[in-house]
Coordinates of all heavy atoms in Angstrom, one line a residue:
M18 N -2.6 12.5 -14.6 CA -2.0 11.3 -14.1 C -0.7 11.8 -13.4 O 0.0 12.6 -13.9 CB -1.7 10.3 -15.2 CG -1.0 9.1 -14.7 SD -1.1 7.8 -15.9 CE 0.5 8.0 -16.6
I19 N -0.4 11.2 -12.3 CA 0.9 11.5 -11.6 C 1.8 10.3 -11.6 O 1.4 9.2 -11.3 CB 0.6 11.8 -10.1 CG1 -0.3 13.1 -10.0 CG2 1.9 12.0 -9.3 CD1 -0.8 13.4 -8.6
D20 N 3.0 10.5 -12.2 CA 4.0 9.4 -12.2 C 4.9 9.5 -11.0 O 5.7 10.4 -11.0 CB 4.7 9.5 -13.6 CG 5.7 8.4 -13.8 OD1 6.0 7.6 -12.8 OD2 6.2 8.3 -14.9
T21 N 4.7 8.6 -10.1 CA 5.5 8.7 -8.8 C 7.0 8.4 -9.1 O 7.8 8.7 -8.2 CB 5.0 7.8 -7.7 OG1 4.9 6.5 -8.2 CG2 3.6 8.3 -7.3
S22 N 7.4 7.8 -10.2 CA 8.8 7.6 -10.5 C 9.4 8.8 -11.1 O 10.7 8.9 -11.3 CB 9.0 6.4 -11.4 OG 8.4 6.7 -12.7
Q23 N 8.6 9.9 -11.4 CA 9.2 11.1 -11.9 C 8.9 12.4 -11.1 O 9.5 13.4 -11.2 CB 8.5 11.3 -13.3 CG 8.7 10.2 -14.3 CD 9.9 10.3 -15.2 OE1 10.3 11.4 -15.5 NE2 10.5 9.2 -15.5
T24 N 7.8 12.2 -10.2 CA 7.3 13.4 -9.5 C 7.6 13.2 -8.0 O 7.2 12.2 -7.4 CB 5.8 13.6 -9.7 OG1 5.6 13.6 -11.1 CG2 5.3 14.8 -9.1
A25 N 8.2 14.2 -7.4 CA 8.5 14.1 -5.9 C 7.3 14.3 -5.1 O 6.4 15.0 -5.5 CB 9.6 15.2 -5.6
S26 N 7.3 13.6 -3.9 CA 6.2 13.8 -3.0 C 6.3 15.2 -2.4 O 7.4 15.6 -2.0 CB 6.3 12.7 -1.9 OG 5.5 13.0 -0.8
I27 N 5.2 15.8 -2.2 CA 5.1 17.1 -1.6 C 4.9 17.0 -0.1 O 5.5 17.7 0.7 CB 4.0 18.0 -2.2 CG1 4.3 18.2 -3.7 CG2 3.9 19.3 -1.5 CD1 3.2 18.9 -4.4
S28 N 4.1 16.1 0.3 CA 3.9 15.8 1.8 C 3.4 14.4 1.9 O 3.3 13.7 1.0 CB 2.8 16.8 2.3 OG 1.6 16.5 1.7
G29 N 3.3 14.0 3.2 CA 2.8 12.6 3.4 C 3.9 11.8 4.2 O 4.8 12.4 4.8
S30 N 3.8 10.5 4.0 CA 4.6 9.6 4.8 C 6.0 9.3 4.1 O 6.7 8.5 4.6 CB 3.9 8.3 5.2 OG 3.5 7.6 4.0
Y31 N 6.2 9.8 2.9 CA 7.5 9.6 2.3 C 7.9 10.9 1.6 O 7.1 11.7 1.2 CB 7.6 8.4 1.4 CG 7.0 8.6 0.0 CD1 7.9 8.9 -1.0 CD2 5.7 8.5 -0.2 CE1 7.3 9.0 -2.3 CE2 5.1 8.6 -1.5 CZ 6.0 8.9 -2.5 OH 5.5 9.1 -3.8
K32 N 9.2 11.1 1.4 CA 9.7 12.3 0.7 C 10.5 11.9 -0.5 O 11.1 10.8 -0.5 CB 10.6 13.1 1.7 CG 10.0 13.5 3.0 CD 9.1 14.6 2.8 CE 8.5 15.1 4.1 NZ 7.1 15.0 4.3
G33 N 10.6 12.8 -1.5 CA 11.4 12.5 -2.6 C 10.7 11.8 -3.7 O 9.5 11.7 -3.8
I34 N 11.5 11.2 -4.7 CA 10.9 10.5 -5.8 C 11.1 9.0 -5.5 O 12.2 8.5 -5.3 CB 11.6 10.9 -7.1 CG1 11.3 12.3 -7.4 CG2 11.2 10.0 -8.3 CD1 12.1 12.9 -8.6
S35 N 10.0 8.2 -5.6 CA 10.1 6.8 -5.5 C 8.9 6.2 -6.2 O 7.7 6.5 -5.8 CB 10.1 6.4 -4.0 OG 10.0 5.0 -3.8
G36 N 9.1 5.3 -7.2 CA 8.1 4.8 -8.0 C 7.1 4.0 -7.1 O 5.9 4.0 -7.4
M37 N 7.5 3.3 -6.1 CA 6.7 2.5 -5.2 C 6.6 3.2 -3.8 O 6.1 2.5 -2.9 CB 7.2 1.1 -5.1 CG 7.0 0.3 -6.4 SD 5.3 0.2 -7.0 CE 4.7 -0.9 -5.8
G38 N 7.0 4.4 -3.6 CA 7.0 5.1 -2.3 C 5.6 5.1 -1.7 O 5.5 5.0 -0.4
L39 N 4.6 5.2 -2.4 CA 3.2 5.2 -1.8 C 2.9 3.9 -1.1 O 2.2 3.9 -0.1 CB 2.1 5.4 -2.9 CG 2.0 6.8 -3.5 CD1 1.1 6.8 -4.7 CD2 1.6 7.8 -2.5
F40 N 3.5 2.8 -1.6 CA 3.3 1.5 -1.0 C 4.3 1.1 0.1 O 4.0 0.6 1.1 CB 3.1 0.4 -2.0 CG 2.1 0.8 -3.0 CD1 2.4 1.2 -4.3 CD2 0.7 0.7 -2.7 CE1 1.4 1.6 -5.2 CE2 -0.3 1.1 -3.5 CZ 0.1 1.5 -4.8
F41 N 5.6 1.4 -0.3 CA 6.7 1.0 0.7 C 6.6 1.8 2.0 O 7.0 1.3 3.0 CB 8.0 1.2 0.0 CG 8.3 0.3 -1.1 CD1 9.1 0.7 -2.2 CD2 7.8 -1.0 -1.2 CE1 9.4 -0.2 -3.2 CE2 8.1 -1.9 -2.2 CZ 8.9 -1.4 -3.2
N42 N 6.2 3.0 1.9 CA 6.2 3.9 3.1 C 4.8 4.2 3.6 O 4.6 5.1 4.5 CB 6.9 5.2 2.7 CG 8.3 4.9 2.4 OD1 9.1 4.3 3.1 ND2 8.7 5.3 1.2
A43 N 3.8 3.6 3.0 CA 2.4 3.9 3.4 C 2.2 3.5 4.9 O 2.7 2.5 5.4 CB 1.4 3.1 2.5
K44 N 1.3 4.2 5.6 CA 1.0 3.9 6.9 C -0.5 3.8 7.0 O -1.2 4.7 6.5 CB 1.5 5.0 7.9 CG 3.0 5.1 7.9 CD 3.5 6.2 8.8 CE 5.0 6.2 8.7 NZ 5.6 7.4 9.2
P45 N -1.1 2.8 7.7 CA -2.6 2.7 7.7 C -3.2 3.8 8.6 O -2.6 4.3 9.5 CB -2.7 1.3 8.4 CG -1.5 1.0 9.1 CD -0.4 1.7 8.4
L46 N -4.4 4.1 8.3 CA -5.2 5.0 9.1 C -5.4 4.5 10.5 O -5.4 5.2 11.5 CB -6.5 5.4 8.4 CG -6.4 6.2 7.1 CD1 -7.8 6.4 6.5 CD2 -5.7 7.5 7.4
K47 N -5.7 3.2 10.5 CA -6.0 2.5 11.8 C -4.8 1.6 12.1 O -4.4 0.8 11.3 CB -7.2 1.7 11.8 CG -8.5 2.5 11.5 CD -9.7 1.6 11.4 CE -10.9 2.4 11.1 NZ -12.1 1.5 10.8
N48 N -4.2 1.7 13.2 CA -3.0 0.9 13.6 C -3.5 -0.3 14.3 O -4.0 -0.3 15.4 CB -2.1 1.7 14.5 CG -0.8 1.1 14.7 OD1 -0.5 0.0 14.1 ND2 0.0 1.6 15.6
R49 N -3.4 -1.4 13.6 CA -3.8 -2.7 14.1 C -2.6 -3.5 14.6 O -1.7 -3.7 13.8 CB -4.5 -3.6 13.1 CG -5.9 -3.0 12.7 CD -6.6 -3.9 11.7 NE -5.8 -4.0 10.5 CZ -6.1 -4.7 9.4 NH1 -7.2 -5.4 9.5 NH2 -5.4 -4.7 8.3
K50 N -2.6 -3.8 15.9 CA -1.4 -4.5 16.4 C -1.6 -6.0 16.1 O -2.6 -6.6 16.4 CB -1.3 -4.3 17.9 CG -1.2 -2.9 18.3 CD 0.2 -2.6 18.8 CE 0.2 -1.1 19.2 NZ 1.5 -0.7 19.5
R51 N -0.6 -6.5 15.4 CA -0.6 -8.0 15.1 C 0.7 -8.6 15.5 O 1.7 -8.0 15.5 CB -0.7 -8.2 13.6 CG -2.1 -7.9 13.0 CD -2.0 -8.4 11.6 NE -3.2 -8.1 10.9 CZ -3.5 -8.3 9.6 NH1 -2.6 -9.0 8.9 NH2 -4.6 -8.0 9.1
R52 N 0.6 -9.8 15.9 CA 1.8 -10.5 16.3 C 2.4 -11.0 15.0 O 1.7 -11.5 14.1 CB 1.4 -11.8 17.1 CG 2.0 -11.8 18.4 CD 1.7 -13.0 19.1 NE 2.9 -13.7 19.4 CZ 3.1 -14.3 20.5 NH1 2.1 -14.5 21.3 NH2 4.3 -14.8 20.8
L53 N 3.7 -10.9 14.9 CA 4.4 -11.3 13.7 C 4.5 -12.8 13.7 O 4.7 -13.4 14.7 CB 5.8 -10.7 13.6 CG 5.9 -9.2 13.4 CD1 7.3 -8.7 13.5 CD2 5.2 -8.8 12.1
P54 N 4.4 -13.5 12.5 CA 4.5 -14.9 12.4 C 5.9 -15.4 12.8 O 6.9 -14.7 12.5 CB 4.3 -15.2 10.9 CG 3.8 -14.0 10.3 CD 4.1 -12.9 11.2
S55 N 6.0 -16.5 13.4 CA 7.3 -17.0 13.9 C 8.0 -17.8 12.7 O 9.2 -18.1 12.8 CB 7.1 -18.0 15.1 OG 6.3 -19.0 14.7
S56 N 7.3 -18.0 11.7 CA 7.9 -18.8 10.5 C 7.4 -18.1 9.2 O 6.3 -17.7 9.1 CB 7.4 -20.2 10.6 OG 7.7 -20.9 9.3
L57 N 8.3 -18.1 8.2 CA 7.9 -17.5 6.9 C 6.7 -18.3 6.3 O 5.9 -17.8 5.5 CB 9.1 -17.5 6.0 CG 10.2 -16.5 6.3 CD1 11.3 -16.7 5.3 CD2 9.7 -15.1 6.3
D58 N 6.6 -19.6 6.6 CA 5.5 -20.4 6.1 C 4.2 -19.9 6.6 O 3.1 -20.3 6.0 CB 5.7 -21.9 6.4 CG 6.9 -22.5 5.7 OD1 7.3 -22.0 4.7 OD2 7.5 -23.5 6.2
R59 N 4.1 -19.2 7.7 CA 2.9 -18.7 8.3 C 2.5 -17.3 7.8 O 1.4 -16.8 8.2 CB 3.0 -18.7 9.8 CG 3.1 -20.1 10.3 CD 3.2 -20.1 11.8 NE 3.4 -21.4 12.3 CZ 3.3 -21.8 13.6 NH1 3.1 -20.8 14.5 NH2 3.5 -23.0 13.9
I60 N 3.2 -16.7 6.9 CA 2.9 -15.4 6.4 C 1.8 -15.6 5.4 O 1.9 -16.4 4.4 CB 4.1 -14.7 5.8 CG1 5.1 -14.4 6.8 CG2 3.7 -13.4 5.1 CD1 6.4 -13.9 6.3
P61 N 0.6 -14.9 5.5 CA -0.5 -15.1 4.6 C -0.3 -14.4 3.2 O -0.8 -13.3 3.0 CB -1.7 -14.5 5.4 CG -1.0 -13.4 6.2 CD 0.3 -14.0 6.6
L62 N 0.5 -15.0 2.4 CA 0.9 -14.4 1.1 C -0.3 -14.2 0.1 O -0.2 -13.4 -0.8 CB 2.0 -15.2 0.4 CG 3.3 -15.2 1.2 CD1 4.3 -16.1 0.4 CD2 3.9 -13.8 1.3
R63 N -1.4 -14.9 0.4 CA -2.5 -14.8 -0.5 C -3.5 -13.7 0.0 O -4.5 -13.4 -0.7 CB -3.3 -16.1 -0.6 CG -2.5 -17.3 -1.1 CD -2.3 -17.2 -2.5 NE -1.5 -18.4 -3.0 CZ -0.8 -18.4 -4.1 NH1 -0.8 -17.3 -4.8 NH2 -0.1 -19.5 -4.4
D64 N -3.2 -13.1 1.1 CA -4.0 -12.0 1.6 C -3.9 -10.7 0.7 O -3.0 -10.6 -0.1 CB -3.6 -11.5 3.0 CG -4.2 -12.3 4.1 OD1 -5.0 -13.3 3.8 OD2 -4.0 -12.0 5.3
C65 N -4.9 -9.9 0.8 CA -4.9 -8.6 0.1 C -5.5 -7.5 1.0 O -6.0 -7.8 2.0 CB -5.7 -8.8 -1.2 SG -7.5 -9.2 -0.9
F66 N -5.3 -6.3 0.6 CA -5.8 -5.2 1.3 C -6.3 -4.1 0.4 O -5.7 -4.0 -0.7 CB -4.8 -4.7 2.4 CG -3.5 -4.2 1.8 CD1 -3.3 -2.9 1.5 CD2 -2.5 -5.2 1.6 CE1 -2.1 -2.5 0.9 CE2 -1.3 -4.8 1.0 CZ -1.1 -3.4 0.7
G67 N -7.2 -3.3 0.8 CA -7.8 -2.2 0.0 C -6.9 -1.0 0.1 O -6.4 -0.7 1.2
V68 N -6.8 -0.2 -0.9 CA -6.0 1.0 -0.9 C -6.9 2.1 -1.5 O -7.6 1.8 -2.6 CB -4.7 0.9 -1.8 CG1 -4.0 2.2 -1.8 CG2 -3.8 -0.2 -1.2
E69 N -7.0 3.2 -0.9 CA -7.7 4.4 -1.4 C -6.8 5.6 -1.5 O -6.2 5.9 -0.4 CB -8.9 4.6 -0.5 CG -9.8 5.7 -1.0 CD -11.0 5.9 -0.1 OE1 -12.0 5.2 -0.2 OE2 -10.9 6.8 0.8
I70 N -6.6 6.1 -2.6 CA -5.8 7.3 -2.8 C -6.7 8.5 -3.2 O -7.5 8.4 -4.0 CB -4.8 7.1 -3.9 CG1 -3.8 5.9 -3.6 CG2 -4.0 8.4 -4.2 CD1 -2.9 5.5 -4.7
K71 N -6.5 9.6 -2.4 CA -7.2 10.8 -2.7 C -6.2 12.0 -2.9 O -5.3 12.1 -2.2 CB -8.2 11.1 -1.5 CG -9.3 10.1 -1.4 CD -10.2 10.5 -0.3 CE -11.3 9.5 -0.1 NZ -12.2 9.9 0.9
I72 N -6.5 12.8 -3.9 CA -5.7 14.0 -4.1 C -6.5 15.2 -3.6 O -7.6 15.5 -4.1 CB -5.4 14.2 -5.7 CG1 -4.8 12.9 -6.3 CG2 -4.5 15.4 -5.9 CD1 -3.5 12.5 -5.7
R73 N -5.8 15.9 -2.7 CA -6.5 17.1 -2.1 C -5.5 18.2 -2.1 O -4.6 18.4 -1.2 CB -6.8 16.8 -0.6 CG -7.9 15.8 -0.4 CD -8.2 15.7 1.1 NE -9.2 14.7 1.3 CZ -9.3 14.0 2.4 NH1 -8.4 14.2 3.4 NH2 -10.2 13.1 2.5
P74 N -5.6 19.1 -3.1 CA -4.6 20.3 -3.1 C -5.0 21.2 -2.0 O -4.1 22.0 -1.6 CB -4.8 20.9 -4.5 CG -5.9 20.1 -5.1 CD -6.4 19.0 -4.3
G75 N -6.2 21.2 -1.5 CA -6.6 22.0 -0.3 C -7.5 21.2 0.5 O -7.1 20.1 0.9
K76 N -8.7 21.6 0.7 CA -9.7 20.8 1.5 C -10.5 19.9 0.7 O -11.1 19.0 1.2 CB -10.6 21.8 2.3 CG -9.8 22.5 3.4 CD -10.8 23.3 4.3 CE -10.0 24.0 5.4 NZ -10.9 24.7 6.3
D77 N -10.7 20.2 -0.6 CA -11.5 19.5 -1.5 C -10.8 18.3 -2.2 O -9.6 18.5 -2.6 CB -12.2 20.4 -2.6 CG -13.1 21.5 -1.9 OD1 -13.7 21.2 -0.9 OD2 -13.1 22.6 -2.5
V78 N -11.4 17.2 -2.3 CA -10.9 16.1 -3.1 C -11.1 16.3 -4.6 O -12.2 16.5 -5.0 CB -11.6 14.7 -2.7 CG1 -11.1 13.6 -3.5 CG2 -11.3 14.4 -1.2
V79 N -10.0 16.3 -5.3 CA -10.1 16.6 -6.8 C -10.0 15.3 -7.6 O -10.4 15.3 -8.8 CB -9.1 17.6 -7.3 CG1 -9.3 19.0 -6.6 CG2 -7.7 17.2 -7.0
A80 N -9.5 14.3 -7.0 CA -9.4 13.0 -7.7 C -9.2 11.9 -6.6 O -8.7 12.1 -5.5 CB -8.2 12.9 -8.6
E81 N -9.8 10.7 -6.9 CA -9.6 9.6 -6.0 C -9.6 8.3 -6.8 O -10.2 8.2 -7.9 CB -10.6 9.6 -4.9 CG -12.1 9.5 -5.3 CD -13.0 9.6 -4.1 OE1 -13.0 8.7 -3.3 OE2 -13.7 10.6 -4.1
Q82 N -9.0 7.3 -6.3 CA -8.9 5.9 -6.9 C -8.8 4.9 -5.8 O -8.1 5.1 -4.8 CB -7.7 5.8 -7.8 CG -7.6 4.5 -8.5 CD -8.7 4.3 -9.6 OE1 -9.0 5.2 -10.3 NE2 -9.3 3.2 -9.6
S83 N -9.6 3.8 -5.9 CA -9.5 2.7 -5.0 C -9.1 1.4 -5.7 O -9.5 1.3 -6.9 CB -10.9 2.5 -4.3 OG -11.2 3.6 -3.6
F84 N -8.3 0.6 -5.1 CA -7.9 -0.7 -5.7 C -7.5 -1.6 -4.6 O -7.4 -1.3 -3.5 CB -6.9 -0.5 -6.8 CG -5.6 0.3 -6.3 CD1 -4.5 -0.4 -5.8 CD2 -5.6 1.6 -6.4 CE1 -3.4 0.3 -5.4 CE2 -4.5 2.3 -5.9 CZ -3.4 1.6 -5.5
V85 N -7.2 -2.9 -5.0 CA -6.8 -3.9 -4.1 C -5.3 -4.3 -4.4 O -4.9 -4.4 -5.5 CB -7.7 -5.2 -4.3 CG1 -7.1 -6.4 -3.5 CG2 -9.1 -4.9 -4.0
R86 N -4.5 -4.3 -3.3 CA -3.1 -4.7 -3.4 C -3.0 -6.1 -2.8 O -3.6 -6.5 -1.8 CB -2.2 -3.8 -2.6 CG -2.1 -2.4 -3.1 CD -1.0 -2.4 -4.2 NE 0.3 -2.7 -3.6 CZ 1.4 -2.8 -4.3 NH1 1.4 -2.8 -5.6 NH2 2.6 -3.1 -3.7
R87 N -2.2 -7.0 -3.5 CA -2.0 -8.3 -3.0 C -0.5 -8.4 -2.6 O 0.4 -7.8 -3.2 CB -2.3 -9.3 -4.1 CG -3.7 -9.3 -4.5 CD -4.1 -10.4 -5.4 NE -5.4 -10.3 -5.8 CZ -6.5 -10.7 -5.1 NH1 -6.3 -11.1 -3.9 NH2 -7.7 -10.5 -5.6
Y88 N -0.2 -9.2 -1.6 CA 1.2 -9.5 -1.2 C 1.8 -10.3 -2.3 O 3.0 -10.2 -2.6 CB 1.2 -10.2 0.1 CG 0.8 -9.3 1.3 CD1 -0.5 -9.6 1.9 CD2 1.5 -8.3 1.7 CE1 -0.9 -8.8 2.9 CE2 1.1 -7.4 2.7 CZ -0.1 -7.7 3.3 OH -0.6 -6.9 4.3
M89 N 1.1 -11.3 -2.9 CA 1.6 -12.1 -3.9 C 0.5 -12.4 -4.9 O -0.6 -12.7 -4.5 CB 2.1 -13.4 -3.3 CG 2.8 -14.3 -4.3 SD 3.6 -15.8 -3.6 CE 2.2 -16.9 -3.5
N90 N 0.8 -12.3 -6.2 CA -0.1 -12.6 -7.3 C -0.7 -14.0 -7.1 O 0.0 -14.9 -6.8 CB 0.5 -12.4 -8.6 CG -0.5 -12.3 -9.7 OD1 -1.5 -13.0 -9.7 ND2 -0.2 -11.5 -10.7
L91 N -2.0 -14.1 -7.4 CA -2.6 -15.4 -7.2 C -2.1 -16.5 -8.1 O -2.1 -17.7 -7.8 CB -4.2 -15.3 -7.4 CG -4.9 -14.4 -6.4 CD1 -6.3 -14.3 -6.8 CD2 -4.8 -15.0 -5.0
G92 N -1.5 -16.1 -9.3 CA -0.9 -17.1 -10.2 C 0.5 -17.6 -9.8 O 1.0 -18.5 -10.5
L93 N 1.1 -17.0 -8.8 CA 2.5 -17.4 -8.5 C 2.5 -18.5 -7.4 O 1.6 -18.6 -6.6 CB 3.2 -16.2 -7.9 CG 3.5 -15.0 -8.8 CD1 4.2 -13.9 -8.0 CD2 4.4 -15.4 -10.0
R94 N 3.5 -19.3 -7.5 CA 3.7 -20.4 -6.5 C 5.0 -20.1 -5.8 O 5.9 -19.6 -6.4 CB 3.7 -21.7 -7.2 CG 2.4 -22.1 -7.8 CD 2.6 -23.5 -8.4 NE 1.4 -23.7 -9.2 CZ 1.1 -24.9 -9.8 NH1 2.0 -25.9 -9.6 NH2 0.1 -25.0 -10.5
Y95 N 5.1 -20.6 -4.6 CA 6.4 -20.4 -3.8 C 6.7 -21.7 -3.2 O 6.0 -22.6 -3.1 CB 6.2 -19.3 -2.8 CG 5.2 -19.5 -1.7 CD1 5.6 -20.1 -0.5 CD2 3.9 -19.3 -1.9 CE1 4.7 -20.3 0.5 CE2 3.0 -19.5 -0.9 CZ 3.4 -20.0 0.3 OH 2.4 -20.2 1.3

C-alpha cells in the first residue's frame, strides 16, 4: 500500500507529498473541451467519474485499482 500523505511522487502530474495530489493534480487521458457553467447552480455536483490507477515500475503493471469518484457524496445536500 502506498500512503500518498507520507510518500513523495516520483513522476507524473504532481511532485512532492500530497495526500490528495493524485486527484487535485490529475489530468485526463482524453482532453474533453467543455464550456464552464455560468452559474454555480448549474454545476453537476451529482456527477461521478471513473478513476484507474496503475503502478508500473518499468513496462509491466504490478498493481492496479479502479474506483468511482464523486464531486459530492449522494447523502449531502447543498
